[in-house]
């Protein structure tokens, strides 16, 4: 981002900084991170007893040391009504990622809401609709009316099984539950859709249409099972609640 250009130094996390255990909210893997916050008028020192890492930062650190953070892991945000420094960096003690960070997860601090860094300008304040060759803001009434009219048109032309929807299932820090609960109720409860593309399925199966809910492992198995009178290789459903398989 623009504000990262020509950065040659970052504030040292002081020993008294608040420390939080957080989980990456971008996917279901659940990589662990450490978040540190402290007042903007404070900064740590290079001595081991002056910084959160407890090491001598005046010396060259070894390879893969956890005593560092990148500009993308830093921001200035509001906490309890005051501006604070924030650092969100991978947690080396987390058994999931062992101090590694994804391109998205390692930018959680950078992308946090900040009027100091202008990231608040990236937040949506209205629904967006593609019109006249570009995404344009609109009202909720207009957006919901458009979804309803398109849905009805598809059903009238193709039947209810002609509906295909897409959703993401990022749930590391609860984001999957918070962000997909509403769409899940709409798609499966109200619209009764049978065809869905679920984005981000690294721990279950490949990116195919609803095969997890079908109880099969991948699209090849789904097609083979659908065409064969004798059920072939299938995987067990990935949910604790029983799901019907295809025959």
């Amino acid at each position: 981002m623009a504000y990262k250009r020509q950065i040659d130094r970052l504030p040292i996390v002081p020993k008294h900084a608040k420390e939080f255990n957080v989980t990456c909210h971008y996917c279901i893997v659940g990589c662990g991170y450490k978040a540190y916050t402290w007042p903007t008028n404070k900064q740590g020192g290079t001595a081991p007893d002056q910084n959160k890492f407890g090491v001598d930062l005046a010396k060259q650190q070894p390879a893969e040391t956890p005593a560092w953070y990148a500009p993308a892991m830093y921001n200035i945000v509001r906490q309890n009504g005051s501006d604070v420094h924030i650092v969100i960096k991978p947690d080396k003690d987390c058994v999931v990622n062992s101090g590694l960070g994804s391109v998205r997860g390692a930018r959680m601090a950078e992308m946090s809401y900040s009027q100091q860094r202008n990231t608040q300008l990236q937040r949506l304040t209205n629904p967006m609709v593609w019109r006249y060759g570009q995404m344009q803001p609109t009202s909720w009434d207009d957006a919901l009316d458009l979804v309803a009219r398109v849905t009805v048109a598809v059903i009238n032309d193709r039947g209810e099984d002609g509906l295909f929807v897409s959703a993401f299932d990022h749930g590391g820090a609860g984001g999957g539950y918070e962000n997909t609960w509403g769409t899940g109720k709409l798609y499966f409860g109200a619209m009764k859709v049978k065809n869905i593309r679920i984005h981000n399925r690294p721990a279950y199966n490949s990116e195919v249409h609803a095969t997890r809910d079908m109880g099969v492992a991948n699209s090849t198995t789904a097609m083979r099972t659908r065409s064969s009178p004798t059920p072939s290789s299938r995987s067990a459903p990935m949910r604790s609640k029983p799901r019907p398989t295809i025959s």
Side-chain angles (χ1 to χ4, degrees):
M1 300 178 67
Y3 67 83
K4 288 170 54 181
R5 292 174 182 169
Q6 300 178 352
I7 287 181
D8 62 351
R9 67 192 62 195
L10 291 164
I12 298 175
V13 183
K15 193 174 185 64
H16 61 76
K18 294 180 181 179
E19 180 178 328
F20 306 89
N21 291 321
V22 299
T23 308
C24 177
H25 53 241
Y26 282 108
C27 85
I28 64 173
V29 172
C31 292
Y33 285 75
K34 288 288 187 181
Y36 305 102
T37 61
W38 68 98
T40 53
N41 62 347
K42 303 290 184 181
Q43 186 175 178
T46 58
D49 61 347
Q50 295 177 338
N51 62 75
K52 198 69 173 179
F53 307 120
V55 300
D56 186 356
L57 295 177
K59 299 180 179 179
Q60 177 69 42
Q61 299 301 305
E64 299 186 6
T65 174
W68 78 285
Y69 67 92
M73 303 174 189
Y74 169 77
N75 209 335
I76 296 177
V77 299
R78 300 282 288 180
Q79 186 178 59
N80 299 324
S82 300
D83 287 339
V84 296
H85 298 287
I86 185 170
V87 169
I88 305 179
K89 62 188 299 295
D91 182 5
K92 69 178 180 62
D93 295 323
C94 179
V95 296
V96 178
N97 54 315
S98 302
L100 299 178
S102 68
V103 175
R104 294 178 299 178
R107 297 181 62 212
M108 285 191 291
E110 178 182 69
M111 301 307 296
S112 296
Y113 186 95
S114 173
Q115 294 185 353
Q116 294 286 344
R117 301 289 185 172
N118 294 325
T119 54
Q120 85 281 4
L121 299 178
Q122 301 177 19
R123 297 300 194 269
L124 292 178
T125 56
N126 299 96
M128 303 290 287
V129 173
W130 183 267
R131 283 190 175 126
Y132 308 112
Q134 63 181 342
M135 297 297 292
Q136 297 191 16
T138 188
S139 67
W140 278 106
D141 288 342
D142 179 59
L144 293 173
D145 177 70
L146 178 60
V147 171
R149 286 188 288 113
V150 170
T151 301
V152 170
V154 171
I155 292 176
N156 290 340
D157 183 52
R158 301 281 183 174
E160 292 186 355
D161 289 348
L163 286 174
F164 282 75
V165 296
S166 177
F168 74 91
D169 193 19
H170 300 161
Y177 296 105
E178 295 175 4
N179 293 315
T180 60
W181 185 86
T183 52
K185 293 286 285 185
L186 172 64
Y187 292 157
F188 302 118
M191 298 170 66
K192 310 294 185 184
V193 298
K194 298 179 180 178
N195 308 292
I196 183 171
R197 172 198 172 273
I198 302 177
H199 170 64
N200 190 42
R201 183 66 55 213
Y204 293 99
N205 57 359
S206 58
E207 304 287 8
V208 292
H209 297 288
T211 54
R212 182 168 71 109
D213 286 329
M214 294 175 184
V216 295
N218 52 51
S219 58
T220 304
T221 304
M223 289 186 289
R224 183 169 60 246
T225 305
R226 187 182 295 272
S227 61
S228 174
T230 301
S232 57
S233 173
R234 302 177 187 171
S235 65
M238 292 296 185
R239 296 183 179 181
S240 57
K241 185 178 179 180
R243 294 277 180 171
T245 54
I246 304 174
S247 59

